[in-house]
């Protein structure tokens, strides 16, 4: 169990799950780290079951680890009110950069950008190593996107003639497949919506406009400086072009779009 928590602390959810396989299912303390690990790897059905098991334990009701698990799960499943309730209860116990970071993401998703930036600034006050987003104005962001498009080989530019490339601050609820929310997490960097080249005109939704969305505030949060932000914009755009052409992540890399 201790090794599972150590793995979670380093962001290695898969190794945490391996360690948890060795913990008896009747041991109540296993269900909180399992819920966190399952959420992190996108196994949301299993994460929900683990959370339900943890909630049955009376002494864990206000446990900070359980509140963290509930906050992460609420975000992953786009139950934003549930996530905010859990994370605000947690930060009332003790303010931490990690919780403030998730609350800032919730603020972004609700269009409260000033409040989001204030939370991130507070996280930096608590931890001088906490990375602040690399902010650029929307016009400069669009220039970076246009420059990346212009540098594409011609065979990739042609399909873009029938595809809109749009910049939004963060993903909107209508973009989410709520039957499988793990595919579109709230901190997603980009998204292709529409019919891919491989699906063609025979697909049911072929008449819908094809669009590539880039999420500026999520991309800014993912970059430590402007150079890295420009690179992340380029990589995300190319990934979504790959999806537009009908390829998965491995196919994108093989096409030379990385």
């Amino acid at each position: 169990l201790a090794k599972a928590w150590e793995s979670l602390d380093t962001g290695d959810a898969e190794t945490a799950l391996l360690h948890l396989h060795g913990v008896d299912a009747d041991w109540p303390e296993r269900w909180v780290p399992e819920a966190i690990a399952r959420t992190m790897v996108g196994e949301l059905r299993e994460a929900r079951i683990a959370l339900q098991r943890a909630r049955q334990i009376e002494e864990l009701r206000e446990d900070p680890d359980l509140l963290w698990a509930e906050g992460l799960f609420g975000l992953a499943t786009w139950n934003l009110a549930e996530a905010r309730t859990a994370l605000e209860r947690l930060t009332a116990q003790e303010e931490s950069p990690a919780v403030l970071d998730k609350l800032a993401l919730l603020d972004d998703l609700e269009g409260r950008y000033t409040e989001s930036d204030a939370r991130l600034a507070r996280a930096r006050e608590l931890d001088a190593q906490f990375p602040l987003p690399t902010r650029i104005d929307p016009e400069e962001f669009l220039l970076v996107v246009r420059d990346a498009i212009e540098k594409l080989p011609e065979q990739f530019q042609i399909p873009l003639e029938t595809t809109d490339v749009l910049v939004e601050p963060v993903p909107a609820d209508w973009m989410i497949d709520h039957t499988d929310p793990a595919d579109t997490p709230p901190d997603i960097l980009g998204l292709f919506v529409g019919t891919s080249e491989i699906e063609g005109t025979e697909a049911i939704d072929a008449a819908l406009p094809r669009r590539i969305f880039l999420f500026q505030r999520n991309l800014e949060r993912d970059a430590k400086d402007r150079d890295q932000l420009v690179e992340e914009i380029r990589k995300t755009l190319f990934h979504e072009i790959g999806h537009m052409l009908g390829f998965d992540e491995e196919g994108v890399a093989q096409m030379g779009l990385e």
Side-chain angles (χ1 to χ4, degrees):
L1 189 63
K3 289 179 179 179
W5 278 115
E6 289 172 6
S7 296
L8 286 176
D9 287 341
T10 64
D12 188 353
E14 293 184 356
T15 300
L17 288 171
L18 290 176
H19 289 308
L20 288 169
H21 283 315
V23 180
D24 194 308
D26 293 330
W27 192 262
E29 284 80 3
R30 72 161 290 165
W31 296 111
V32 172
E34 177 148 343
I36 294 172
R38 298 287 185 189
T39 299
M40 289 173 65
V41 299
E43 296 176 357
L44 300 183
R45 186 181 69 84
E46 293 83 355
R48 185 186 301 278
I49 293 170
L51 267 180
Q52 290 170 345
R53 295 287 296 266
R55 287 167 179 156
Q56 294 171 3
I57 305 166
E58 184 69 31
E59 57 267 29
L60 290 182
R61 293 290 171 81
E62 290 300 315
D63 182 83
D65 291 328
L66 177 58
L67 291 174
W68 177 246
E70 290 180 332
L72 293 183
F73 183 76
L75 270 168
T77 55
W78 284 85
N79 292 311
L80 304 187
E82 176 185 305
R84 183 175 291 280
T85 296
L87 293 172
E88 287 182 344
R89 284 165 61 196
L90 180 52
T91 201
Q93 293 185 20
E94 182 179 1
E95 222 176 12
S96 75
V99 178
L100 290 169
D101 184 48
K102 297 302 182 186
L103 284 168
L105 176 57
L106 281 166
D107 288 333
D108 277 343
L109 295 169
E110 295 169 355
R112 299 163 48 171
Y113 306 133
T114 301
E115 292 89 339
S116 173
D117 288 340
R119 287 191 201 273
L120 295 173
R122 175 57 180 160
R124 182 62 169 265
E125 289 178 8
L126 295 173
D127 179 3
Q129 302 303 313
F130 180 83
L132 291 176
T134 302
R135 300 290 187 211
I136 61 175
D137 63 60
E139 291 78 13
E140 184 180 1
F141 193 97
L142 283 172
L143 287 175
V144 174
V145 173
R146 289 170 185 161
D147 182 64
I149 292 173
E150 289 173 0
K151 291 179 179 177
L152 278 169
E154 184 178 357
Q155 67 265 34
F156 299 127
Q157 290 194 32
I158 293 174
L160 278 178
E161 294 176 0
T162 57
T163 305
D164 292 327
V165 179
L166 305 171
V167 177
E168 297 288 343
V170 289
D173 185 77
W174 70 264
M175 301 175 184
I176 310 310
D177 179 2
H178 287 279
T179 65
D180 190 12
D183 279 349
T184 44
D187 57 356
I188 192 171
L189 303 182
L191 182 68
F192 169 68
V193 176
T195 306
S196 72
E197 290 285 298
I198 288 178
E199 292 172 307
T201 58
E202 300 301 318
I204 295 174
D205 58 352
L208 298 176
R210 299 199 311 186
R211 290 168 288 181
I212 288 174
F213 291 96
L214 300 176
F215 302 117
Q216 179 170 347
R217 288 184 71 86
N218 283 352
L219 282 157
E220 289 172 341
R221 288 163 65 94
D222 205 49
K224 64 181 180 181
D225 55 39
R226 190 186 183 283
D227 287 343
Q228 186 178 1
L229 175 59
V230 170
E231 179 64 12
E232 287 299 326
I233 293 170
R234 185 190 70 83
K235 287 174 61 177
T236 303
L237 173 64
F238 293 175
H239 258 86
E240 301 316 317
I241 290 172
H243 293 315
M244 177 190 69
L245 296 174
F247 294 96
D248 58 16
E249 303 295 336
E250 184 178 350
V252 171
Q254 292 173 352
M255 289 165 54
L257 285 176
E258 289 286 354

